[in-house]
Amino acid sequence: SNDKKQEQENFRIGMQEMQEEREALFGFTEDETKAWGHGGDDAAQQLDTNHFNSIKEARDNRNNHLDNKEEYDHNNHNFSHLSNDGKNEIRMVDVGNKSITQRIAKAESKVILPPEVLSEFDVSAGDLIGPKGSIFSTARLAGIMAAKKTSDLIPLCHPLPLDKVHIDITLQNENEILIECECRVTYKTGVETE
């Protein structure tokens, strides 16, 4: 149908615009661009249109969420963790004047396991079981611990009083693992890194 074709064309154009913006912002070399490419138009069309639209909406609205010039200014290419005085000194962003608000970040990833990896585990009740027990339980615990230690692991990241970290791991089909994470904080800065 024409609506579907127009939606796919809008999606392709949007992906191209995001790629061009990313390349302009970070100055990727041609080799880097090829190495990190999405695999051509066919692969781009297979991506979830709703996911693309949510990214586009967030990017369109991002300037509404910037409280001051301490934040990244996309138009001037100022980076929040580098000083703007021409010296490019590394600094931690000052969030002292920001309001305390509830912030939520969600992320998901899909892991596709090859048969040789799957053959090393038993599958029971939607979980992979190894010699020492549940693989998914261990992964959830590791994810929660990593979220709690983010400011120790990533330089210049603010330590946050996390309200919630929830990790859901499900086995889909025979070889796909869907990992979903939600972090919530009531604080002056975001929780997207966690």
Side-chain angles (χ1 to χ4, degrees):
S1 75
N2 288 337
D3 289 342
K4 184 70 173 173
K5 287 181 182 178
Q6 185 61 46
E7 184 179 306
Q8 288 177 339
E9 179 62 14
N10 290 343
F11 179 78
R12 188 192 63 73
I13 291 169
M15 290 294 290
Q16 182 64 35
E17 288 173 355
M18 286 188 343
Q19 182 174 350
E20 288 170 2
E21 181 180 335
R22 183 181 66 228
E23 289 170 5
L25 178 63
F26 294 107
F28 294 136
T29 67
E30 188 174 332
D31 289 339
E32 289 170 326
T33 301
K34 285 179 185 175
W36 299 335
H38 57 69
D41 290 339
D42 292 339
Q45 289 176 2
Q46 292 173 8
L47 295 174
D48 185 296
T49 303
N50 291 332
H51 181 67
F52 167 74
N53 288 337
S54 67
I55 292 171
K56 183 166 178 18
E57 181 180 333
R59 297 174 96 231
D60 290 343
N61 292 327
R62 103 179 122 215
N63 290 332
N64 297 334
H65 301 291
L66 298 178
D67 293 334
N68 58 45
K69 285 292 185 181
E70 291 293 313
E71 296 290 339
Y72 173 73
D73 181 343
H74 180 269
N75 296 322
N76 293 326
H77 301 292
N78 295 330
F79 291 93
S80 59
H81 292 87
L82 295 177
S83 63
N84 296 330
D85 59 6
K87 297 179 185 177
N88 286 332
E89 292 179 0
I90 294 175
R91 64 180 180 167
M92 191 169 188
V93 173
D94 182 359
V95 298
N97 294 327
K98 294 179 108 181
S99 300
I100 294 175
T101 58
Q102 186 178 74
R103 297 155 184 260
I104 299 172
K106 296 179 181 180
E108 71 176 43
S109 177
K110 186 181 288 187
V111 178
I112 300 175
L113 299 176
E116 53 271 12
V117 171
L118 277 173
S119 67
E120 296 297 316
F121 301 101
D122 293 325
V123 178
S124 175
D127 195 352
L128 297 180
I129 308 299
K132 295 188 177 186
S134 168
I135 302 301
F136 292 174
S137 292
T138 303
R140 279 188 206 92
L141 181 59
I144 292 168
M145 291 173 61
K148 290 171 57 177
K149 289 292 194 180
T150 300
S151 65
D152 292 336
L153 300 170
I154 298 178
L156 308 177
C157 186
H158 291 86
L160 300 180
L162 294 171
D163 297 329
K164 174 184 179 180
V165 177
H166 177 77
I167 298 175
D168 191 29
I169 304 174
T170 55
L171 185 60
Q172 299 184 326
N173 303 320
E174 288 184 8
N175 67 335
E176 295 179 2
I177 298 172
L178 179 64
I179 305 168
E180 299 170 293
C181 178
E182 178 180 332
C183 292
R184 185 176 68 217
V185 68
T186 305
Y187 198 59
K188 295 181 175 192
T189 189
V191 69
E192 64 280 353
T193 306
E194 281 71 14

